[in-house]
Amino acid sequence: MAEPTAHTRPLTRSLDPLPGESLGGYLLRLSHRLRLSPIQLARRIGTAAPSATRLGRRLLLDLDVDGFARVTHLSSDEARSLTLVPWQHRYPPIARALRRPVSGSRDDWLFNDLPRYCPQCLASDGSPIQQDHGGSWRKFWHLPIAFVCPDHRVFLQHRCPQPHELTRAITDLITQTADTTLQPAQCRLPAVGQSRSQGRTVPSCGVRLDQLDQFEHGGGLRPDPPMLNTQLRILNHLGPGCPPGDAVSYFSDLRVLVALLCVSWPLGQELIPPGARDAVAAHIRVLGAGQRQAHDQPPRDPTATAGTLTAAASLREAPHLRDLLNQHTQAVRNGPPSRIPWTYVFERHSSNCSALVRQAAAPSVRSYRRTGPRGTRIPDRTGSYRPEHIPAFLEER
């Protein structure tokens, strides 16, 4: 990735970021204002190498914040706010990605496979600058834990109305980066019938995503109150009002509980809001479609995401969590606990989980912990029975 240098001249015109805006959305609006393609702008400000033709999502983690701020006339805090870095101490996949090299394996819970958006957020709010260059592509939409727009109380969308054949994940921050003809809210996928492999000259789809009928395109579904509340709690855990350690535990708990619900399906389907059950069932069929089942992958469909995360949040707060986890693990148990598919997911993330979930899960998975980086494994003693519970004196009979 190229970086702005001391010789990179600041732009003569720039834009103020919108609240919650993503780096990709900011580059789209700024390139539209300057009448440049996104890749031309990225080369001009040093965010992309002179020969680059793509802008990857890794920029959300690796942006040279100070250099970007200097050439765009932003403060360092404003530039950093366009990236995912401010959430690194709250959302574990971001922290893991920052510790790994660029070529390292990708965490499925870091980015969505397909861009999510709210048409009403992309539409202008009536201000002159948004009338000219559109609304905000929000950085929260990049995360697989985003499924509802709390401002407009609608499910996020993840597809264009046109029948694009999307057989793989979209890993670009901005697609069709050489196209100078598009308004920031227009679909940047190749036009239907065109292949992304044909090169940069393929015409773009161009459908105005900010003009969709949200209710009609969303299949006639609206999020119910539990889904809205779950999304608001997720956003709260990303905000400064929640201690970072609590946020890490919360997101890790949700992740392992979503995996448990998927492994033990259809047990627990009553926890899924009725409007999301079909979408969740379709997601679980996809998980089991390959030769190797993948139980730790988030749904592509925001409605399925809403269903699984809302159910996981409900399960986490259940008064008899230990009994419920035991029911779910017993439903899929075929051999020792270590061979339960969910055990692999739990052990991978248990160090970040809350004490509540670790204690509840321990009897089901016979959890063990290491005495050190290369130490032996001993039973996890994080349960509720501690030395202080042993009576100091036993009466003789």
Side-chain angles (χ1 to χ4, degrees):
M1 181 189 72
E3 296 181 355
T5 67
H7 303 292
T8 305
R9 291 182 294 120
L11 299 171
T12 56
R13 290 184 297 166
S14 188
L15 283 173
D16 292 330
L18 298 175
E21 187 168 30
S22 160
L23 175 63
Y26 182 79
L27 291 174
L28 285 173
R29 291 193 310 116
L30 184 54
S31 63
H32 187 257
R33 184 183 190 191
L34 299 179
R35 298 183 180 179
L36 298 172
S37 70
I39 196 64
Q40 287 173 329
L41 172 62
R43 294 170 186 157
R44 165 69 179 79
I45 62 178
T47 304
S51 60
T53 59
R54 296 180 58 196
L55 294 173
R57 293 182 299 190
R58 185 79 197 185
L59 276 172
L60 291 165
L61 303 169
D62 297 338
L63 181 70
D64 176 9
V65 168
D66 292 334
F68 185 87
R70 183 180 65 81
V71 297
T72 54
H73 305 283
L74 303 180
S75 69
S76 292
D77 285 344
E78 286 176 322
R80 186 177 293 105
S81 73
L82 298 170
T83 73
L84 298 179
V85 174
W87 292 336
Q88 64 175 308
H89 300 301
R90 298 178 176 277
Y91 190 62
I94 297 175
R96 280 191 286 270
L98 289 170
R99 292 195 299 266
R100 291 174 179 170
V102 176
S103 59
S105 59
R106 183 175 71 90
D107 189 327
D108 289 322
W109 284 80
L110 177 59
F111 292 121
N112 284 312
D113 280 355
L114 302 174
R116 296 182 182 179
Y117 63 93
C118 168
Q120 291 169 266
C121 288
L122 296 182
S124 166
D125 64 358
S127 62
I129 197 69
Q130 290 200 29
Q131 284 182 338
D132 289 340
H133 309 298
S136 174
W137 282 91
R138 306 202 174 187
K139 69 174 183 178
F140 177 57
W141 298 344
H142 286 287
L143 302 182
I145 53 175
F147 53 86
V148 162
C149 173
D151 294 335
H152 301 108
R153 300 187 169 232
V154 293
F155 285 117
L156 297 180
Q157 301 299 314
H158 70 299
R159 293 187 182 276
C160 169
Q162 296 298 310
H164 298 283
E165 294 185 7
L166 299 174
T167 58
R168 58 185 179 181
I170 295 176
T171 59
D172 293 331
L173 181 64
I174 298 173
T175 55
Q176 299 286 92
T177 55
D179 197 326
T180 61
T181 66
L182 298 178
Q183 196 265 3
Q186 287 182 273
C187 175
R188 303 188 73 89
L189 291 173
V192 174
Q194 305 289 333
S195 170
R196 295 173 65 187
S197 63
Q198 291 178 285
R200 293 177 293 157
T201 58
V202 174
S204 301
C205 171
V207 165
R208 289 291 294 258
L209 303 177
D210 58 338
Q211 296 176 359
L212 298 182
D213 184 319
Q214 180 85 13
F215 187 63
E216 180 181 343
H217 187 57
L221 295 175
R222 289 192 184 277
D224 61 18
M227 293 177 178
L228 285 170
N229 290 337
T230 300
Q231 187 70 100
L232 290 171
R233 289 191 64 186
I234 285 173
L235 285 166
N236 179 64
H237 280 81
L238 289 175
C242 177
D246 290 352
V248 168
S249 296
Y250 180 74
F251 290 125
S252 299
D253 288 354
L254 292 185
R255 179 170 185 167
V256 299
L257 293 176
V258 165
L260 179 61
L261 289 166
C262 291
V263 168
S264 59
W265 182 268
L267 184 64
Q269 62 179 321
E270 71 281 355
L271 298 172
I272 307 291
R277 286 177 190 168
D278 288 345
V280 172
H283 165 63
I284 292 171
R285 285 196 297 271
V286 170
L287 293 184
Q291 293 181 348
R292 179 180 179 273
Q293 290 188 333
H295 302 290
D296 191 27
Q297 289 184 358
R300 276 192 173 188
D301 185 340
T303 305
T305 304
T308 54
L309 287 174
T310 300
S314 176
L315 184 61
R316 183 178 186 266
E317 296 168 6
H320 304 292
L321 179 59
R322 177 176 295 190
D323 293 339
L324 289 173
L325 296 189
N326 185 57
Q327 289 176 18
H328 282 267
T329 53
Q330 289 297 326
V332 294
R333 183 168 176 175
N334 184 19
S338 60
R339 297 187 64 183
I340 299 173
W342 179 66
T343 300
Y344 299 113
V345 179
F346 175 74
E347 290 188 342
R348 192 179 307 127
H349 303 287
S350 61
S351 62
N352 285 331
C353 287
S354 66
L356 172 73
V357 169
R358 290 201 309 271
Q359 292 169 13
S364 300
V365 299
R366 294 180 186 169
S367 181
Y368 288 77
R369 62 181 175 85
R370 289 195 182 276
T371 57
R374 296 187 179 182
T376 57
R377 293 171 66 85
I378 63 175
D380 190 350
R381 301 298 187 188
T382 58
S384 58
Y385 191 75
R386 299 178 182 275
E388 59 264 29
H389 297 135
I390 302 174
F393 175 74
L394 296 176
E395 294 183 4
E396 294 184 4
R397 297 197 177 191

